[in-house]
Amino acid sequence: MKFSVLSLIGHSPHPLTGELPSAADRFEEVIETGAAAERLGFDAYAIGERHAGPFLSSGPSVVLGAIAARTSVIRLLTGVTVVAILDPVRVAEDFATLDQLSRGRLELVVGKGAEAGHFDLFGLDEDRQWDLQEEKYELLRRLWTEEGVDWEGEFRPPLKNVTTVPRPYAGAPRVWHGSATSLNSPELAAKHGDPLFTANAVQPREAYARLIDHYRERFEAYGHDPADAHVAAGSGGLLIANSPREAVGRYKELYEARVRQTFKPHLAGRAGYNTPFRTIEDAMENGPQLIGSPQQIIDKILGYHAVYRHDLQSITVDGFGLSQEEQLETLERFAEEIAPVVRREAPSSLWE
């Protein structure tokens, strides 16, 4: 198993104290965490992309560029690049630049995004989101793998003999497809022989397993080697304690206050937006959240691995309002007490 740390650069008041750090302080925190993740031996660091809601992640390539300058070996991922609302030419340029700056450490995770408001913001029809996703991704693939591209589609002006610059560092970066609620992303990933990144953050395990099973079936049906069907999985946040009882006593108020704070009443009936695991006890027992003792967390990741057969596990430490010191302590405990066991029990050839 490989491990990645993800930040969506949330910027909302602390769920208990109401304190809100400045935007500059949040960016500094995220960059420091990226450098710490490399020191602690994590394989990748990812920045999400949101254009609505309490987030500061509208410019992930800029933030990842700052992290690239502070690191040398850790892979840099997105989580996700919302290609459905963006111009593929600009995506190709921005992230090829980052790929050059990091000397080939970039991998893109593309998706339609989990924030309903961004389609209106960019003047796009949300009902066409999957058409936008497919067309724009397929153009991005061509821009990274071909020169002198001639192209014509529905959602942007035609291209004639276009070669985007800079070119990627050493060929087109690997592109994962973020998947949360629909079969469309697993289908697109399987069609192109790309890896799948399941959100695994809100819904019960069965919902994500259905998407992964579809991806593996379609991957082989399209003629790709099943051994190349790599899968990654997210999580609903990480909180480590010495025992399950300590985890409840220490984090119950914090976890449940954050759940109440992030609840979206207008999206109550839409899968993928509001966690059904509203108490910490339910989250620990049944949810994708990694909360509890090191052994509890090991068992949960390996339990998901038994179903998903995933190669990469993503964790998030800045989603509940932990201080920067607490976040770094959590990452250190994960790196020392959890990661070695999971790596041994669930080896992966990804990135080797």
Side-chain angles (χ1 to χ4, degrees), residues 7 9-11 21-30 56 318 327:
S7 178
I9 322 184
H11 193 233
S22 70
D25 285 346
R26 274 296 284 133
F27 283 124
E28 182 179 358
E29 179 180 287
V30 167
L56 299 174
D318 63 354
Q327 291 177 41

Side-chain angles (χ1 to χ4, degrees), residues 9 20-21 114 116 139 156 175 178 182 193 196 242 246:
I9 322 184
L20 182 67
L139 175 55
R156 64 147 292 136
V175 178
S182 168
L196 187 75
N242 292 322
E246 181 186 301

Side-chain angles (χ1 to χ4, degrees), residues 180-181 200-205 207-208 270-277 288 304:
T181 59
N200 196 50
V202 177
Q203 300 300 308
R205 179 184 313 186
Y208 301 111
R270 295 179 62 174
Y273 286 94
N274 295 301
T275 179
F277 308 107
Y304 277 100

Side-chain angles (χ1 to χ4, degrees), residues 229-242:
H230 292 297
V231 172
S235 65
L238 173 67
L239 297 169
I240 304 175
N242 292 322

Side-chain angles (χ1 to χ4, degrees), residues 209-259:
R210 179 179 72 93
L211 303 178
I212 295 170
D213 289 345
H214 177 84
Y215 163 70
R216 292 190 186 280
E217 291 169 7
R218 298 298 294 154
F219 192 94
E220 189 170 3
Y222 277 112
H224 306 298
D225 185 345
D228 295 330
H230 292 297
V231 172
S235 65
L238 173 67
L239 297 169
I240 304 175
N242 292 322
S243 68
R245 182 174 181 178
E246 181 186 301
V248 172
R250 183 175 177 185
Y251 296 121
K252 181 177 177 65
E253 186 180 12
L254 181 66
Y255 173 83
E256 294 176 11
R258 180 63 90 191
V259 169

Side-chain angles (χ1 to χ4, degrees), residues 89-90 92-94 96-97 100 143 147 162-168:
V89 173
R90 190 73 224 193
E93 293 172 339
D94 283 351
T97 301
Q100 289 286 349
L143 292 171
E147 298 183 6
V162 169
T163 301
T164 56
V165 290
R167 305 304 294 157

